[in-house]
Amino acid sequence: MTNSCYLGYFTLSCLISLIVFSVVIHDMDHGGGRWGMRTLTERGVSNRTRLNPYWENNPHPVVIFNVLPKSGSRTLNTLVGRLRRNITMANTMNDINESHEEKEYIINATIRSNETSFVYSHCHFKWMGPFGPKVGVRRPIYISVVRDPIERLASHYYFVRYGDGNANKTNASLQFREEMQSRHFSRESFDTCVLKEKRGCRNPVALMRHFSGDNRQSVDQALKNIDTRYMVVGIMEDYLSFLRILELRLPQVFGGISDIYKKERKGIISAMKTKHKRSVSKEVREILRKEMTRDYEVYEAIRLRFEILKLELGIS
C-alpha cells in the first residue's frame, strides 16, 4: 500500500475519532450522561454504514421516503419529480382522509410492482419488506431526513396555523388548509404557548416514535431500526450533503438531484418556508430541551452517523 493510501486512512480515522469525541463531550456537557457513554452500536451508529448488498446494483429499487413533517420532505419529493427519469412516484398524502390501512396498501402495491419507485410516506416506520431472504420479493430501501427537534416543533406549530408559500396549490394542500382552519388554533406565539404549558406546542418524543414504529417505543428501538433498516437518515441542516449521499448510494434513482437543487434552491425554499415563524427564545429552548431528552438522543446519534457516512463517501 502506498504512503498516500496510509495517509488517507490515517486522516479518515482521526476525523472519525474527533467527531465521536466531540459528540460525546457535547452529550456530557448537556446532561447526556448515560447516552454520552454508550457505544456507537448501542446508539445506532455502527460500522455498517456501507451499502448492504440489496442496495447495490439494483436495477429497479423501491425507495420508501419515511417522512417526518417539517424536515425538508416536500423539497426532496419536488426534486425527485423534476429528475425527468422513469420513476413511479407514489404518495400516501394525496388525500388527507386516507386511513392508515389505505396508506399501507399503496406502499405494498408499489413494492409488489417491478418498477423503479419512490414512495412519499407520511407514516411512522414499519418494515414493509420480507423477513429473511425471499426469492422474487423486493426489499424496500428506507430513507428519511430529520431536523433539530425544537426547530421542527416550532416550525410545525406555525405551519398548521399559517401554512407556507406553497399552500392552496394542490388538492392535498387545499384539503389540509381547510382541515387546519376548521380547528381554530390559537394564534399566540410558540413561546407563549410553551410558557403557558399548553399541549398544542409539545410533542417531546415525536422523533423517537417516528423511528420506533409499531414495536416498543424507546430510544434503543428507534436507533436499532435506523441502523438496520435505513440506507441513510439525512440532516436538514446539511441538506446538500444528504442529496450527495443519495446520489452516490443510489444513482439509478437520484443521479443529478444535487445539481437541480443548486439551481432551484431559492425558489423551492421560498415555496416551502413556513409563514410567520418566529425565533424560539433561549428560555423556551431550555424548557423544551429538558423535556425532549429522548428525541435529542436519537437526533444526535443520527447526526453522528451522518457525519461518519459523509467521511466514508468523501463528502466534505
Side-chain angles (χ1 to χ4, degrees):
M1 187 179 289
T2 65
N3 290 336
S4 61
C5 288
Y6 280 121
L7 180 60
Y9 282 120
F10 176 75
T11 303
L12 177 62
S13 299
C14 289
L15 286 171
I16 290 175
S17 298
L18 179 61
I19 290 172
V20 172
F21 177 76
S22 299
V23 173
V24 168
I25 293 300
H26 176 274
D27 299 337
M28 295 178 71
D29 286 345
H30 289 77
R34 177 182 65 87
W35 182 75
M37 300 305 294
R38 292 159 82 185
T39 66
L40 292 184
T41 300
E42 287 173 334
R43 293 163 59 180
V45 185
S46 75
N47 61 359
R48 292 187 300 101
T49 55
R50 300 187 186 279
L51 288 177
N52 284 343
Y54 73 93
W55 293 339
E56 293 180 308
N57 305 317
N58 188 337
H60 299 294
V62 54
V63 178
I64 297 180
F65 183 25
N66 193 213
V67 170
L68 185 68
K70 300 310 299 173
S71 300
S73 58
R74 287 176 301 150
T75 295
L76 182 60
N77 195 51
T78 299
L79 292 170
V80 172
R82 294 180 184 175
L83 282 171
R84 300 184 184 279
R85 192 165 289 138
N86 189 21
I87 301 172
T88 298
M89 297 186 68
N91 191 337
T92 65
M93 281 294 288
N94 282 330
D95 185 343
I96 64 171
N97 296 314
E98 282 176 343
S99 67
H100 188 75
E101 290 73 22
E102 288 171 323
K103 294 178 190 293
E104 288 194 2
Y105 177 83
I106 292 171
I107 297 171
N108 276 317
T110 307
I111 292 172
R112 289 195 301 270
S113 74
N114 292 317
E115 301 170 338
T116 300
S117 307
F118 179 85
V119 182
Y120 185 76
S121 169
H122 258 267
C123 301
H124 288 170
F125 170 78
K126 181 177 181 180
W127 175 243
M128 303 293 282
F131 290 91
K134 290 186 179 181
V135 177
V137 180
R138 290 206 295 176
R139 295 173 64 87
I141 299 168
Y142 281 79
I143 65 172
S144 191
V145 61
V146 299
R147 179 181 188 179
D148 175 87
I150 292 174
E151 284 299 316
R152 193 200 73 83
L153 184 62
S155 182
H156 187 265
Y157 177 87
Y158 288 109
F159 176 70
V160 298
R161 287 159 174 78
Y162 303 107
D164 59 19
N166 207 36
N168 305 330
K169 291 186 178 180
T170 65
N171 288 335
S173 64
L174 282 168
Q175 284 183 324
F176 181 78
R177 290 271 22 104
E178 289 172 2
E179 173 64 23
M180 295 302 101
Q181 289 169 4
S182 70
R183 298 184 186 183
H184 303 292
F185 288 118
S186 164
R187 295 304 174 105
E188 63 191 0
S189 71
F190 179 74
D191 277 8
T192 300
C193 179
V194 172
L195 294 173
K196 288 183 177 179
E197 300 184 355
K198 292 186 177 181
R199 295 181 60 185
C201 43
R202 280 174 160 79
N203 195 353
V205 291
L207 188 60
M208 185 192 78
R209 285 205 315 269
H210 181 72
F211 289 106
S212 291
D214 294 335
N215 296 311
R216 181 169 54 93
Q217 299 284 313
S218 68
V219 170
D220 289 337
Q221 185 62 52
L223 296 183
K224 179 180 178 182
N225 288 338
I226 291 166
D227 191 37
T228 60
R229 298 303 191 188
Y230 284 81
M231 183 180 81
V232 60
V233 178
I235 302 294
M236 181 179 164
E237 293 85 350
D238 191 2
Y239 208 81
L240 185 57
S241 293
F242 171 54
L243 297 178
R244 290 290 296 125
I245 290 171
L246 293 178
E247 285 183 313
L248 291 170
R249 287 201 144 183
L250 215 58
Q252 63 270 51
V253 177
F254 298 108
I257 199 168
S258 63
D259 287 337
I260 296 175
Y261 179 69
K262 290 174 186 176
K263 291 177 184 177
E264 303 187 22
R265 180 178 179 177
K266 288 184 179 179
I268 291 174
I269 291 176
S270 176
M272 306 298 179
K273 187 175 181 180
T274 299
K275 293 180 179 179
H276 307 300
K277 182 177 179 290
R278 305 180 197 176
S279 299
V280 181
S281 68
K282 182 179 179 181
E283 179 186 7
V284 167
R285 284 185 184 280
E286 290 175 352
I287 292 170
L288 292 177
R289 191 63 176 78
K290 293 176 182 178
E291 295 179 2
M292 301 173 75
T293 54
R294 286 176 290 178
D295 264 16
Y296 272 98
E297 284 192 49
V298 176
Y299 175 72
E300 294 295 349
I302 290 171
R303 189 168 64 89
L304 175 58
R305 191 174 190 268
F306 184 74
E307 291 299 328
I308 292 173
L309 182 53
K310 283 171 57 181
L311 289 171
E312 288 183 352
L313 296 175
I315 299 172
S316 58

